[in-house]
């Protein structure tokens, strides 16, 4: 009987789970049958934990229920997962995720045990997201690319000559914890002024909230609920000059940080995803303008585009990572 492959994309706020069958779509991926979003439970946060049992239990229940609904009860062959922060995919360890409060979490072993011995494979969530886009989305046909997600935090994934770059300590791509001159806001990592405190969905929301508190003239003052980055985007669509300038400032700050990576790696394309990516051209335009101003005119500049697959990118990447281990480890 056919078995299912499970893809999991863990974010700082929500976790998406997908069930795949084993039929190929012709691009090396399995077929996504159904998916579901659950909260990323973190009752210990901001305290640190090596055993997020409540989340693991909830994730196990959701995987089993979704597999059953898809007609694959008790028939899961393997699980792939994208996990935030520093991840050792060889040992299956989540070494450090500042936005979850995880330190040295034996993710693969714990989830495999709960799932009756099913193999569980993990890597950094942004690498997994970018893998999905590289296989089936905006990165198709490119060997050199940067994937960037702007959600609760911000991180990048690097593909050089078709290979994922993880770094000597599995920390490659953590651009969100590079500091920005003149910035002092506290970051979940323990430092102050990290790029993540500005160029992330949570950072954009923070900047908007502080501006409203200081009396800025913006329609965001009329909101009765806590401001989100999506609210700032909606204000942009209404012509709110403060909101539009906020995204321009965020995009420009992010672009200046990206320029170092662009000069080092010479990517063909930069793919941007995550919640804050919903801002579209309000965010992408200043990034493109900065690259155009700083990159040599005689060289082909990297494309800057949104991811094409939405929250399915991480699922597709996770399923492919689980089923094609020899290619990516």
């Amino acid at each position: 009987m056919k078995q299912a492959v499970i893809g999991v994309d863990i974010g700082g706020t929500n976790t998406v789970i997908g069930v795949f069958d084993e039929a190929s779509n012709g691009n090396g991926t399995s077929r996504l049958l159904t998916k579901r979003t659950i909260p990323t439970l973190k009752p210990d946060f901001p305290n640190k934990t090596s055993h997020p049992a409540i989340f693991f239990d909830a994730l196990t229940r959701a995987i089993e229920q979704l597999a059953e609904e898809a007609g694959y009860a008790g028939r899961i062959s393997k699980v792939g997962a994208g996990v935030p922060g520093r991840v050792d995919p060889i040992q299956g360890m989540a070494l450090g995720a500042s936005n979850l409060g995880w330190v040295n979490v034996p993710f693969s072993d714990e989830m495999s045990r709960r799932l009756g011995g099913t193999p569980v494979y993990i890597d950094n969530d942004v690498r997994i997201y970018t893998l999905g886009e590289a296989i089936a989305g905006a990165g198709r046909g490119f060997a050199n690319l940067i994937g960037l997600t702007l959600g609760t935090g911000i991180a990048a994934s690097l593909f050089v000559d078709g290979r994922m770059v993880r770094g000597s300590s599995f920390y490659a791509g953590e651009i969100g914890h590079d500091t920005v001159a003149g910035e002092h806001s506290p970051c979940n990592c323990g430092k102050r002024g990290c790029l993540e405190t500005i160029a992330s969905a949570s950072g954009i929301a923070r900047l908007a909230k502080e501006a409203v508190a200081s009396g800025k003239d913006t329609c965001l003052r009329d909101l009765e609920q806590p401001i989100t980055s999506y609210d700032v985007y909606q204000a942009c669509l209404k012509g709110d000059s403060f909101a539009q300038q906020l995204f321009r400032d965020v995009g420009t700050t992010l672009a200046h940080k990206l320029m170092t990576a662009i000069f080092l790696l010479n990517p063909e394309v930069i793919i941007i995803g995550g919640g804050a990516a919903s801002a579209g051209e309000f965010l992408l335009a200043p990034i493109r303008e900065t690259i155009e101003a700083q990159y040599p005119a005689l060289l082909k500049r990297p494309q800057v585009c949104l991811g094409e697959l939405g929250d399915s990118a991480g699922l597709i990447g996770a399923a492919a990572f689980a089923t094609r281990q020899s290619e990516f480890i």
Side-chain angles (χ1 to χ4, degrees):
M1 297 179 70
K2 288 185 178 181
Q3 292 184 301
V5 177
I6 304 296
V8 179
D9 182 16
I10 299 172
T13 303
N14 295 308
T15 292
V16 187
I17 305 162
V19 179
F20 294 77
D21 68 12
E22 296 177 324
S24 174
N25 284 325
N27 56 10
T29 67
S30 301
R31 184 175 57 180
L32 178 60
L33 301 175
T34 185
K35 62 184 178 180
R36 176 175 300 165
T37 300
I38 64 170
T40 302
L41 302 177
K42 42 185 180 180
D44 300 305
F45 189 80
N47 295 325
K48 308 297 183 185
T49 182
S50 297
H51 189 61
I54 292 176
F55 173 69
F56 281 157
D57 291 343
L59 179 58
T60 301
R61 288 193 299 271
I63 288 173
E64 292 176 338
Q65 289 170 2
L66 198 60
E68 181 177 1
E69 291 171 11
Y72 285 90
R75 292 186 286 130
I76 300 172
S77 64
K78 53 187 70 70
V79 176
V83 180
R86 192 161 67 95
V87 176
D88 179 347
I90 300 170
Q91 300 298 324
M93 294 284 295
L95 301 174
S98 58
N99 289 319
L100 299 178
W102 289 4
V103 178
N104 295 327
V105 175
F107 188 105
S108 293
D109 286 348
E110 285 291 331
M111 283 303 300
S112 179
R113 179 177 62 80
R114 284 170 167 80
L115 292 168
T118 301
V120 176
Y121 305 96
I122 66 171
D123 205 341
N124 169 268
D125 61 335
V126 186
R127 285 195 284 271
I128 292 294
Y129 166 86
T130 307
L131 177 60
E133 288 287 347
I135 291 172
R140 285 171 298 181
F142 297 110
N144 297 278
L145 56 107
I146 296 175
L148 196 70
T149 58
L150 286 67
T152 305
I154 172 178
S157 174
L158 317 171
F159 277 59
V160 177
D161 296 333
R163 300 288 297 179
M164 281 193 284
V165 176
R166 294 185 174 90
S168 61
S169 301
F170 309 106
Y171 201 63
E174 290 294 337
I175 191 173
H177 298 298
D178 189 8
T179 53
V180 178
E183 294 293 333
H184 306 286
S185 295
C187 180
N188 286 330
C189 75
K191 297 194 304 181
R192 287 183 173 271
C194 290
L195 179 64
E196 185 169 290
T197 67
I198 301 168
S200 65
S202 55
I204 292 165
R206 176 189 65 81
L207 291 169
K209 180 180 177 180
E210 291 177 355
V212 167
S214 70
K216 287 287 186 181
D217 183 16
T218 169
C219 66
L220 293 166
R221 293 183 304 182
D222 300 329
L223 294 177
E224 297 180 356
Q225 73 276 5
I227 298 172
T228 67
S229 64
Y230 185 75
D231 293 326
V232 182
Y233 164 57
Q234 290 294 308
C236 288
L237 295 178
K238 296 175 183 176
D240 188 286
S241 59
F242 162 76
Q244 292 174 353
Q245 186 61 48
L246 174 55
F247 268 112
R248 172 162 289 277
D249 291 344
V250 167
T252 301
T253 299
L254 176 57
H256 283 298
K257 289 297 184 183
L258 281 174
M259 285 310 303
T260 299
I262 291 170
F263 278 112
L264 280 173
L265 301 174
N266 190 206
E268 300 157 273
V269 63
I270 298 170
I271 303 167
I272 299 179
S278 63
E281 287 302 311
F282 293 112
L283 178 68
L284 299 191
I287 295 175
R288 293 194 187 106
E289 291 167 11
T290 301
I291 294 173
E292 183 175 350
Q294 296 192 20
Y295 205 63
L298 297 178
L299 297 179
K300 185 177 180 180
R301 299 183 180 99
Q303 299 178 34
V304 179
C305 63
L306 297 177
E308 295 179 356
L309 303 175
D311 64 5
S312 294
L315 303 180
I316 292 169
F321 185 72
T323 56
R324 298 160 57 185
Q325 275 284 290
S326 61
E327 295 180 45
F328 305 126
I329 291 292

